[in-house]
Amino acid sequence: MNPLTPAIRRPPPPVPVSFPFCECNRTVGNVPFTFDPTPVVKKAASGPNKMYCLTLYTTDCIDPSNKCCAQRLSKVEWWSKDACRSSVKAVYLDGVKVDQQWAPKGTFKIPALNMAAASVPSAGREVCIELNAKSACPTLQSFCARSAQGRCYYAMFSEDKTCCPLDTFVA
């Protein structure tokens, strides 16, 4: 287990949700990746935009024999709102701009990560979403679906996309 990753997993989301909107195993802990539960807010390099940054860590799977535990991280999806489609200015992985996409029902995603657990250092990797300050959704609270609960929902997909553990972080 990564020494910086909390030893105790957070409980699953408080209420059943239909996200992600596909057929996959949503059980927390069936892929070896997790985000730190609290994002760091940073000022964007230029202008009034804010960047919401999460640290991506590796962690022990609850069942190491699960086939998804040994797979690469394919993509990450967030449950957002359709009204926020024009709010994301950019997404960065360790400071480098990466591809981002939208899918139906307010699904925002970072596709094609193809990341092995071994490529994540013990200090983690930084994933930042830059939100346009003048858009419909300039903050995580306005960007995340169900943010009134104070949480943002996300799913990390295994390489074969059969496992997509659902978790949350603070909005």
Side-chain angles (χ1 to χ4, degrees):
M1 177 179 268
N2 181 327
L4 298 177
T5 303
I8 300 173
R9 289 191 175 273
R10 294 180 300 278
V15 294
V17 296
S18 56
F19 180 80
F21 306 111
C22 60
E23 291 295 323
C24 56
N25 183 339
R26 294 172 174 81
T27 304
V28 172
N30 64 12
V31 298
F33 301 94
T34 190
F35 277 130
D36 187 61
T38 306
V40 173
V41 181
K42 298 180 177 182
K43 187 175 177 339
S46 62
N49 297 345
K50 290 187 179 168
M51 297 198 342
Y52 295 87
C53 300
L54 295 155
T55 304
L56 174 71
Y57 293 109
T58 56
T59 187
D60 294 332
C61 291
I62 56 171
D63 177 8
S65 66
N66 180 312
K67 68 177 184 153
C68 292
C69 188
Q71 293 187 36
R72 300 168 84 82
L73 176 62
S74 170
K75 65 179 175 175
V76 179
E77 291 186 357
W78 282 267
W79 192 8
S80 184
K81 302 170 188 167
D82 276 326
C84 299
R85 287 182 177 265
S86 63
S87 298
V88 179
K89 181 171 183 207
V91 176
Y92 301 92
L93 176 61
D94 296 331
V96 177
K97 192 173 179 179
V98 294
D99 187 31
Q100 49 146 322
Q101 296 175 354
W102 284 88
K105 300 181 183 178
T107 301
F108 173 73
K109 58 186 175 177
I110 302 174
L113 287 171
N114 192 28
M115 186 183 304
S119 71
V120 179
S122 61
R125 297 189 73 179
E126 186 179 61
V127 175
C128 297
I129 301 172
E130 182 179 350
L131 296 177
N132 185 331
K134 296 178 182 177
S135 69
C137 306
T139 66
L140 276 184
Q141 284 191 311
S142 57
F143 180 76
C144 295
R146 303 246 178 130
S147 59
Q149 299 171 347
R151 311 298 295 165
C152 289
Y153 289 83
Y154 70 92
M156 292 196 179
F157 284 78
S158 60
E159 190 172 12
D160 68 3
K161 299 180 183 70
T162 59
C163 294
C164 60
L166 180 64
D167 209 342
T168 62
F169 58 85
V170 176

